[in-house]
Amino acid sequence: MSQLRELLGHLEAKAEALDRRLKARTALPLSALLPSPHQPRKRLEGLEDLAASIQEKGILQPLLVRPLGEGRYEIVAGERRYRAAKMAGLEEVPVVVLDLTPEEARAVALIENLKREDLNPYEETVALLDLLALRLGTDREGAAKALQNLLQAEKRKGEVSHNVMGQAEVVEEVFRTAARLDWRSFVQNRLPLLRLPEDLKAALEEGAIPYTAALELKKVRDEGVRKALLEEARAGLSLRDLRARVRAVLEGKREERKGDLALRLKALLPRLRTLSPERRARAETLLAELEALVRGKK
């Protein structure tokens, strides 16, 4: 992964040697380019406006591509520009050709994605975890687990294993280079987004709702009710009004639980085990009366 480290170093320190390579652009026909199967962006918005800008000014930033052989190149970064160029009627585009492995290409694509200004917190969370997973040789869940283990080890302030120390170095490098926040804050504030229900994750990936709305909707466990509220949020319901709706739903559930005798009894069970002998004897007497009442003996 030496070339990946060089690229990461470029983004952090702008090493002169790599800077010269990135200026060595060329042009390739659109027909020779293929979109990456690992495109991290789920939404490619504003293509019409970008196409109009390209028609007027051309493509100002070259695409990053890697050779596949037989005159074909995979787009590493710049698929949005590629699609807009097609819409604008261009036949070729400026590119920078980099010899990257598939893993390195994915890392560069993720880093480019993380530089976007319109990245929402959920997209940033997923992209950072995927980048970290590449560096650690694991998957997204493994990367999240590594971060949690690292935070626990730091809180214990005890001796840590060699493996954890190695992971800590990778974590520091990735977050220093590609993230806008500290990894500790990421663990505490962003990893909870991964536990969202699937319908809310999908809405976030589509850009249909802000992540603050998703966190609010997460409080509603009734899928039918949550779906109805999600549709209202998609339609433009303000966060303030959404919070009021969610609060009303939760308060209604609490009132409903108060009126359910079975739920009330179930809630008392853990406390029965802590009663003093005198109170336990009284509780057993009352329970016998309750059993007799339920069975119709009184």
Side-chain angles (χ1 to χ4, degrees):
M1 298 287 282
S2 59
Q3 193 167 21
L4 171 58
R5 288 176 181 167
E6 184 185 13
L7 288 164
L8 288 171
H10 167 70
L11 293 176
E12 184 182 33
K14 296 185 178 178
E16 292 183 6
L18 185 57
D19 206 33
R20 287 195 297 271
R21 287 176 59 195
L22 292 179
K23 290 175 182 176
R25 67 177 67 183
T26 185
L28 287 174
L30 288 173
S31 59
L33 304 182
L34 296 173
S36 169
H38 302 294
Q39 165 62 251
R41 296 185 68 171
K42 303 298 181 183
R43 298 173 291 123
L44 296 173
E45 299 173 337
L47 290 176
E48 294 81 4
D49 291 341
L50 182 56
S53 175
I54 288 174
Q55 283 180 325
E56 179 183 354
K57 304 174 184 177
I59 294 183
L60 303 180
Q61 183 180 0
L63 286 67
L64 298 183
V65 301
R66 73 182 189 97
L68 297 176
E70 299 181 353
R72 308 290 277 177
Y73 296 82
E74 180 183 283
I75 299 170
V76 175
E79 184 174 336
R80 184 168 172 268
R81 278 163 277 156
Y82 163 78
R83 293 193 185 188
K86 272 189 169 182
M87 294 174 63
L90 270 62
E91 294 185 358
E92 63 178 27
V93 291
V95 302
V96 171
V97 180
L98 297 173
D99 291 320
L100 302 172
T101 66
E103 292 77 16
E104 290 168 342
R106 284 192 64 193
V108 173
L110 286 165
I111 292 169
E112 288 294 317
N113 189 42
L114 285 163
K115 290 163 62 180
R116 287 167 45 206
E117 292 297 328
D118 63 339
L119 204 65
N120 70 47
Y122 181 75
E123 291 173 318
E124 184 178 32
T125 298
V126 171
L128 277 169
L129 282 176
D130 286 347
L131 180 59
L132 183 59
L134 274 175
R135 292 299 318 279
L136 293 175
T138 183
D139 57 15
R140 190 180 296 172
E141 291 184 2
K145 186 65 175 176
L147 285 169
Q148 291 168 335
N149 290 341
L150 188 58
L151 186 62
Q152 290 173 1
E154 190 173 84
K155 287 180 177 179
R156 289 194 300 266
K157 295 182 180 179
E159 186 176 344
V160 298
S161 68
H162 180 73
N163 182 51
V164 172
M165 288 183 63
Q167 289 182 338
E169 292 177 2
V170 175
V171 167
E172 293 287 357
E173 178 189 0
V174 167
F175 276 78
R176 184 177 63 249
T177 304
R180 312 177 205 193
L181 71 169
D182 177 77
W183 69 265
R184 299 164 188 84
S185 174
F186 180 85
V187 173
Q188 294 173 342
N189 301 314
R190 295 295 182 79
L191 286 189
L193 291 176
L194 298 180
R195 297 192 291 271
L196 288 171
E198 292 302 320
D199 56 346
L200 299 183
K201 286 183 184 179
L204 281 175
E205 288 181 342
E206 295 167 14
I209 60 172
Y211 88 104
T212 48
L215 291 176
E216 197 65 29
L217 287 167
K218 180 187 176 184
K219 300 173 184 177
V220 180
R221 297 192 177 183
D222 185 305
E223 291 187 18
V225 175
R226 188 175 68 238
K227 181 179 179 181
L229 289 174
L230 175 57
E231 290 306 312
E232 290 192 64
R234 284 175 176 271
L237 185 68
S238 70
L239 182 60
R240 180 179 179 180
D241 289 341
L242 179 63
R243 282 175 174 159
R245 303 277 180 88
V246 170
R247 186 166 57 250
V249 168
L250 297 180
E251 288 175 354
K253 290 293 183 184
R254 277 195 290 270
E255 290 301 317
E256 184 180 307
R257 286 196 295 270
K258 285 180 182 178
D260 191 315
L261 286 174
L263 287 176
R264 290 172 65 187
L265 288 171
K266 184 177 180 180
L268 288 173
L269 290 178
R271 301 179 65 179
L272 290 175
R273 300 187 181 93
T274 65
L275 294 177
S276 64
E278 296 80 7
R279 287 176 176 268
R280 177 181 283 277
R282 176 61 177 154
E284 288 176 351
T285 299
L286 292 173
L287 181 57
E289 291 181 12
L290 179 59
E291 289 174 338
L293 177 64
V294 172
R295 293 170 180 165
K297 294 182 179 181
K298 285 189 178 182

